[in-house]
Amino acid sequence: MIAELKNHSIALHYLSVLRDERTDISDFRKATIVLTQALVLEASRQLELSAESIKTPLEKIEGQKIKGKLVFVPILRAGLGMLDAALDILPNAAVGYIGLERDEQTAIAHCYYSKMPNLSDVQKVFLLDPMLATGGSASQSIVKLKELGAKNVSMVSIVAAPEGLQHLQELHPDVDIFTASIDRELDVNRYILPGLGDFGDRLFGTN
C-alpha cells in the first residue's frame, strides 16, 4: 500500500518550503519536523491497540493504548533529520540505525553500520529516509531488518520517485509506504525531479 499526503494543506505548504532553494537551514529543519510528524501520524493509524481501564478526573472508562513494541530505524545520515520528530509522536519507541553510502556512479549503496534492538517481538518497524529515489537503499535496509526478525515494516519518506516506489513494491509487497509527495521521475543521475536537492546537505549545511 502507498499512502500520499497529496490533499493535505499543511503538507503541501511545508513541501514547498523544502523545495525552495532559498529556504535556510532553520526553516528546512522546521519543515522536516512538521512533515515527519504528519507522516508518522498517518503511518501509525493501523497500529494495534489494547484495552486499558483508566480513570478520568470524573469517572472510570475503558481506554485504548498502543500495544507492543515499536522501533524507528533512520537510514544514515539524512534519516536522522526525521528521528526526533518521530520520537515526539511515539516517545517510547526504540531506535535502530542503518548506515548506507551510495556510490554516485552506480547509485548502489553499501552498508557501513548497523545497530539494532531486538526486532523479533516488535509490532512495527518504521524505516525513515526522507528521499526514496531508486529504492535501492530502502530495499537493502528492509532485507536487513527482515533478516534480524522484523515482521512488519513500514517505509516513511518525505519525497518519493515512481521508480523507487515500483522497485520497493516489487521486492517487498508487504511493506506499506508513506510519503508526502510522489514526484515526477528520476533524472539521468538518479536524482528525484522536481525533488528538493540533496536532503542531507541542506539539512546539515554540508556540500
Side-chain angles (χ1 to χ4, degrees), residues 82-155:
M82 303 174 71
L83 179 59
D84 285 346
L87 287 171
D88 281 344
I89 301 297
L90 295 169
N92 291 325
V95 178
Y97 296 92
I98 291 180
L100 296 173
E101 187 171 26
R102 188 173 84 154
D103 186 305
E104 296 300 329
Q105 301 300 317
T106 65
I108 298 174
H110 72 275
C111 181
Y112 64 87
Y113 182 78
S114 174
K115 185 72 171 179
M116 293 290 161
N118 182 6
L119 301 180
S120 60
D121 60 348
V122 169
Q123 180 192 161
K124 172 77 77 173
V125 177
F126 298 97
L127 183 63
L128 308 176
D129 193 0
M131 306 289 281
L132 177 58
T134 65
S137 295
S139 177
Q140 187 174 337
S141 298
I142 291 167
V143 168
K144 189 165 194 64
L145 292 173
K146 289 179 176 179
E147 288 175 348
L148 292 172
K151 300 176 180 64
N152 193 339
V153 180
S154 287
M155 180 80 206

Side-chain angles (χ1 to χ4, degrees), residues 18 24-34 203-205:
L18 286 183
D24 62 20
I25 293 176
S26 177
D27 287 339
F28 193 90
R29 290 173 178 168
K30 176 62 177 178
T32 298
I33 290 169
V34 175
L203 183 73
F204 297 114

